[in-house]
Amino acid sequence: MKNYLSPSILAADFWNLGEQVRAVERGGASYLHVDVMDGVFVPSISFGIPILEALKRKTTLLLDVHLMIVQPERYIETFASLGADMINFHLEATEDPLGVIEKIRSLGKKVGITIKPATPVSALEPFLNLVDMVLIMTVEPGFGGQSLMPDCVDKVRELRKRVNELGLELDIEVDGGVKESNLEMILEAGANVIVAGSAVFGSNPEEHTRLFVEKMHVE
Ligand code: DX5
Ligand code: ZN
């Protein structure tokens, strides 16, 4: 499977957002991870529609939108029409995951389903053959800069095994607390899409993107 780096702009310097995005482009990032938080599903409020619109106008990176909002079904059309390339919604946030999957798919976008640390991999079983990607949170969603929970890396391993048993080609994305120091363990567990916020934008985003990309053998 190909590897992809998805720097999370939650950790970017918003005063210089455009330049920060250019830096990760130059560094060789594949995607841009866009964390949308509603203050209900998670305690924080981040940003949303206008930022996505601005990004879409100016970058060719694929926009990997992570919706941390309740009832994501209300906003799929909006985010799709604004240029999200892949839409990750939380299994815990909706009573109708199948409906959300269908909606994203019908709009021609890649479908990602996301689980919080306490949600078991078994909860994904009914959806594995319907989605393009599973996003395994390795911190409690809501804030950047937290430490990775090692138990959640075991979930990545369990999921990759299950996906292989089923003969599926599914991207497994890991989000939360990823550093250059724990990257290898996460890749080895079977993840192939890596989100990094503070590790990339904390200082010199171009250089840190390049370091990640080299370690990940991104083509
Ligand atoms: C957390 C967000 C993450 C966050 C990751 O709720 O979903 O994408 O930006 O930040 P780091 O890499 O700093 O843990
Ligand atoms: Zn995220």
Side-chain angles (χ1 to χ4, degrees), residues 102-203:
E102 254 166 49
K103 201 168 227 173
I104 300 172
R105 177 88 56 221
S106 73
L107 295 163
K109 306 300 177 182
K110 290 220 162 174
V111 185
I113 190 165
T114 308
I115 54 171
K116 299 206 283 185
T119 304
V121 166
S122 56
L124 295 165
E125 189 69 27
F127 314 108
L128 290 178
N129 60 347
L130 303 174
V131 299
D132 302 296
M133 178 151 83
V134 173
L135 168 50
I136 302 272
M137 290 304 300
T138 41
V139 297
E140 272 316 321
F143 305 94
Q146 305 180 75
S147 298
L148 173 131
M149 299 163 74
D151 289 1
C152 296
V153 180
D154 295 338
K155 288 166 66 179
V156 174
R157 199 167 286 116
E158 181 188 347
L159 176 62
R160 181 56 79 193
K161 184 166 170 268
R162 185 68 190 130
V163 164
N164 287 344
E165 278 167 10
L166 294 168
L168 298 171
E169 280 256 323
L170 205 83
D171 287 318
I172 302 182
E173 180 169 30
V174 161
D175 183 9
V178 181
K179 309 273 170 229
E180 283 147 42
S181 56
N182 56 23
L183 177 62
E184 208 173 294
M185 160 181 94
I186 295 162
L187 294 173
E188 181 271 321
N192 70 306
V193 183
I194 300 294
V195 178
S198 45
V200 162
F201 287 105
S203 68

Side-chain angles (χ1 to χ4, degrees), residues 8 33-35 66 68 135 137 175 195:
S8 167
H33 187 81
V34 182
D35 286 305
H66 177 191
M68 285 165 272
L135 168 50
M137 290 304 300
D175 183 9
V195 178

Side-chain angles (χ1 to χ4, degrees), residues 52 75-84 87 104 107 109:
L52 191 71
Y75 285 102
I76 301 302
E77 271 163 33
T78 306
F79 281 97
S81 70
L82 291 176
I87 301 180
I104 300 172
L107 295 163
K109 306 300 177 182

Side-chain angles (χ1 to χ4, degrees), residues 33-60:
H33 187 81
V34 182
D35 286 305
V36 179
M37 304 181 183
D38 66 354
V40 181
F41 183 70
V42 290
S44 321
I45 297 175
S46 57
F47 45 72
I49 290 160
I51 294 285
L52 191 71
E53 277 180 315
L55 292 169
K56 191 67 193 178
R57 276 201 302 273
K58 296 284 188 185
T59 184
T60 52

